[in-house]
Amino acid sequence: MLPCILRRALGRSFWFVLAALCSAPAPAMIITVGQSGIPGNCTRPTLDEAMQKARENPGPDEIWVTNDVQPGTYDGQHLTIDSLDVDIIGGFDNCWSPSPTGRTRITGDGASPVLKIRGSGVVNLKQLEIMDGGSGSVPSGARHGAGVDYSGRGSLLLEDVILRHNVNGQYLDGAGGLSFEGTGGIAHLQFLDDVSIDTNFGNGAIVFGSAVLTMDGTRNTFKQNRGAGLRIESPAVADIGAAGDVFEFNETYGVEFIHHADTSGPMESHLYAASQQGGPGFRGNRRGAIQIDAPAHSAGVYTVCVKGANFREHVLTDAHPIGGAPDAAYGSLVRATGPLARLQMETHCVYPPAAGTRIESNAMHDNVMAEGKPLIAVGDGAIAIIDRAVISDNTANAIFSANLGRPASSAGLHVYNALVFRNILRDDVFEALHGAFMSAVNLTAVANDGTFGQTLLAIDAAALGVLDSIIDQPQPLLQVEGSRFGVNVQRVLARNRSGTSAGDVVIEGRAAFDAGYGLLPTSLGVDVAPAAAGDAVDLYGRPRSVDTAGIPNVFGSRDLGAVELQLADYDTILADGFDPAAGPRTREAGEVR
């Protein structure tokens, strides 16, 4: 099968080289669909007949779908592909056209999937608009896609394809646009450029079974679906490197990861920035951007690695989409639950393998959480690591929270090199509750406002450690309820030391910031902290442990907070134009606005 896949990657002009290597005995065939007759140069007048022709010539085949047909020719379709190697390409003006000029619309009958794909074939869909499909009978149709329904062990590629207005009656569990199941072997789903899955009743797409989703093209969107934009169920995994606003205005989550008990692990999915354009964007999803649920069972951990993503303009509700009552699962921007859930919003994720010029830090700004909900929540034993994040202009009860509204557990939330500023908060910035393990290293929290009563809160926490950080807030620094045994504040520059113990090291005073919330050379907090293994760069990816000339080291040569002063001699201006008194010369994704 591999040579046939290569043929598709290289194009038809290479077929004469690879034809002998492909497993199909018949030569490649181009089947054109349009007004029938030799003068029209058309092979078949309908899609059904074109599919039958492809079955008679078991590929690899290409079906060119023209717009030169009678009205209604492509309406009410319920097409089936079973173990065929076939490209279906729309957008041709007529059967003489050498290349597409647009898309072709294919509609369903409202009761069945528009396109059902089974078996082990290599299927490519290009320049099509697929609409008005149904999922079959309810509830058995919940696991089927209404637009495209795939189950097999081959591959499916989409390019310049729209899946729109398809209906799955079981919309919280079913796929409106695309259902992709790997069964009998590993199945591969790939999105190239210009794939839009929008306004479907149900989740936009579900990928499950032994399946792998790769999405590295441009202008791909999951938008305004009545459910999640994308749902990944283990053992399926996803590698998403698309840029722009990929997950927008979906009824529940932008993307949801569910780890099932009947799968073995460990497994890992990735959302990352493929270039300096930034990583996948999340905007306006109504109940959260990312949800990870991995309850306790025999399988290994499920890790979701996020680099360079942009989360913005969510106004969240915690109302259940059916009953309308508040639901603990909704209302936070990013949420991880279950002892097998791992969220790594950090630079240490091993994927992609080389840094190159990609953006690594994540940005969260202009989001409003539901009443009582934090921005980032972990519970039920989940663990989250957040390294290099810019978090600003959000409204929430807290920024970081573990076990809020959940049973006592060993949930862990660990934050490094994060800048938290200009947020409106109701309770606190950082809260460790009911057995949680939480830490903040190189944190800068400044200019946050609202009704919150303290910056750090520990209630019956297993551990709360804040190290080498700046907390420039007028509120009391710390409140502890229950045991203080695991509470540790070391080398923190703060306006007060309220709530701390005698063993805590707090530098009382005000930080002097530049425009990017890095310290000025004359500020408290410069050259205070010792080096830390595995933490070589600051928020903006610049070196740590820069020893500023003329400043005596206290515990070491590192600066407190998220940003390291880069000038060994602070009378020097670097060649790139960076002036510490003026802040960053230009704003890159992940930096402050």
Side-chain angles (χ1 to χ4, degrees):
M1 188 63 65
L2 179 60
C4 295
I5 297 174
L6 289 174
R7 181 198 60 90
R8 281 168 166 68
L10 296 173
R12 288 191 306 277
S13 62
F14 289 83
W15 169 237
F16 68 95
V17 177
L18 296 172
L21 300 177
C22 286
S23 58
M29 175 180 290
I30 295 176
I31 305 166
T32 53
V33 183
Q35 300 287 347
S36 61
I38 293 176
N41 196 40
C42 298
T43 309
R44 291 291 185 268
T46 68
L47 279 169
D48 275 333
E49 293 182 61
M51 297 298 294
Q52 179 57 39
K53 183 67 175 176
R55 284 188 283 271
E56 295 169 0
N57 184 77
D61 298 313
E62 295 187 5
I63 298 176
W64 292 11
V65 187
T66 80
N67 293 319
D68 183 20
V69 294
Q70 294 295 325
T73 298
Y74 303 142
D75 294 343
Q77 301 295 298
H78 179 202
L79 305 168
T80 299
I81 298 174
D82 194 348
S83 295
L84 292 178
D85 291 350
V86 62
D87 295 0
I88 303 178
I89 307 171
F92 292 89
D93 291 332
N94 54 58
C95 295
W96 289 103
S97 300
S99 60
T101 59
R103 297 189 190 95
T104 296
R105 175 177 293 179
I106 302 173
T107 69
D109 58 10
S112 306
V114 179
L115 180 59
K116 183 169 70 173
I117 304 172
R118 297 291 184 266
S120 58
V122 177
V123 179
N124 297 332
L125 305 179
K126 300 180 180 182
Q127 293 177 264
L128 301 170
E129 184 175 8
I130 297 174
M131 298 177 56
D132 301 331
S135 59
S137 59
V138 175
S140 63
R143 303 300 293 175
H144 297 286
V148 176
D149 184 49
Y150 181 101
S151 181
R153 60 185 186 278
S155 68
L156 173 63
L157 179 146
L158 279 67
E159 182 177 15
D160 199 357
V161 170
I162 296 173
L163 300 175
R164 176 177 293 162
H165 299 165
N166 301 285
V167 175
N168 189 308
Q170 299 292 303
Y171 75 96
L172 285 182
D173 296 314
L178 167 65
S179 176
F180 189 87
E181 177 187 20
T183 180
I186 298 176
H188 294 271
L189 172 63
Q190 184 175 10
F191 288 13
L192 297 182
D193 297 339
D194 299 297
V195 179
S196 179
I197 299 180
D198 66 79
T199 58
N200 297 285
F201 193 91
N203 298 294
I206 295 179
V207 181
F208 63 106
S210 53
V212 177
L213 165 62
T214 302
M215 187 166 67
D216 50 12
T218 60
R219 298 176 300 278
N220 293 319
T221 60
F222 297 80
K223 184 176 181 179
Q224 294 179 323
N225 295 287
R226 188 73 185 275
L230 173 64
R231 182 168 173 172
I232 307 293
E233 301 182 15
S234 70
V237 293
D239 293 326
I240 300 173
D245 288 324
V246 179
F247 303 97
E248 291 190 289
F249 304 110
N250 296 288
E251 181 73 17
T252 58
Y253 303 105
V255 59
E256 182 176 16
F257 298 89
I258 298 175
H259 193 29
H260 289 304
D262 58 350
T263 56
S264 60
M267 283 161 285
E268 189 165 303
S269 287
H270 314 94
L271 297 93
Y272 64 95
S275 68
Q276 281 289 20
Q277 294 179 349
F282 295 79
R283 184 163 71 109
N285 302 287
R286 294 190 62 194
R287 289 167 179 87
I290 295 178
Q291 153 83 355
I292 308 168
D293 186 24
H297 47 65
S298 59
V301 298
Y302 196 114
T303 300
V304 178
C305 176
V306 183
K307 290 184 182 182
N310 188 10
F311 304 82
R312 65 187 178 97
E313 297 176 24
H314 292 79
V315 179
L316 301 185
T317 173
D318 64 350
H320 193 281
I322 295 178
D327 189 309
Y330 300 128
S332 290
L333 187 70
V334 176
R335 182 175 180 270
T337 57
L340 299 181
R342 301 290 185 269
L343 171 64
Q344 293 184 311
M345 302 183 71
E346 59 156 335
T347 60
H348 294 135
C349 289
V350 295
Y351 191 95
T357 59
R358 289 185 306 274
I359 297 166
E360 301 269 324
S361 59
N362 298 289
M364 301 179 180
H365 56 92
D366 300 293
N367 304 287
V368 178
M369 300 304 98
E371 186 68 33
K373 300 301 175 69
L375 190 79
I376 301 170
V378 299
D380 305 323
I383 296 175
I385 299 173
I386 300 170
D387 185 6
R388 290 166 60 182
V390 177
I391 302 173
S392 69
D393 300 287
N394 304 287
T395 299
N397 276 57
I399 298 297
F400 308 105
S401 181
N403 288 337
L404 178 64
R406 310 299 300 176
S409 78
S410 59
L413 179 53
H414 307 287
V415 181
Y416 304 89
N417 303 301
L419 173 59
V420 179
F421 71 101
R422 219 165 52 214
N423 299 284
I424 304 299
L425 304 175
R426 306 179 186 111
D427 292 335
D428 39 61
V429 176
F430 211 95
E431 57 188 24
L433 312 173
H434 317 309
F437 292 80
M438 298 185 69
S439 63
V441 181
N442 303 132
L443 170 72
T444 297
V446 57
N448 298 289
D449 204 350
T451 59
F452 67 108
Q454 63 283 316
T455 304
L456 310 173
L457 175 65
I459 301 178
D460 297 321
L464 172 61
V466 182
L467 289 77
D468 302 335
S469 296
I470 301 170
I471 298 179
D472 192 39
Q473 295 288 152
Q475 291 80 8
L477 178 63
L478 172 67
Q479 179 179 334
V480 180
E481 300 179 17
S483 173
R484 298 185 63 95
F485 179 76
V487 178
N488 185 29
V489 178
Q490 297 293 316
R491 300 179 299 277
V492 172
L493 173 59
R495 297 194 197 183
N496 62 77
R497 59 175 303 132
S498 176
T500 61
S501 63
D504 293 325
V505 177
V506 178
I507 303 169
E508 289 189 79
R510 295 290 305 275
F513 293 111
D514 62 29
Y517 287 108
L519 294 175
L520 294 173
T522 55
S523 175
L524 294 171
V526 175
D527 291 354
V528 169
D535 189 21
V537 296
D538 71 357
L539 172 65
Y540 300 135
R542 303 177 303 190
R544 283 283 186 185
S545 301
V546 177
D547 194 355
T548 304
I551 305 295
N553 296 342
V554 182
F555 299 100
S557 61
R558 288 191 171 207
D559 303 336
L560 301 182
V563 182
E564 179 81 7
L565 180 63
Q566 296 296 299
L567 302 183
D569 178 350
Y570 54 75
D571 291 330
T572 301
I573 297 178
L574 297 183
D576 69 352
F578 181 87
D579 182 346
R585 177 170 55 87
T586 59
R587 178 178 179 255
E588 298 179 357
E591 296 188 356
V592 298
R593 294 174 301 156

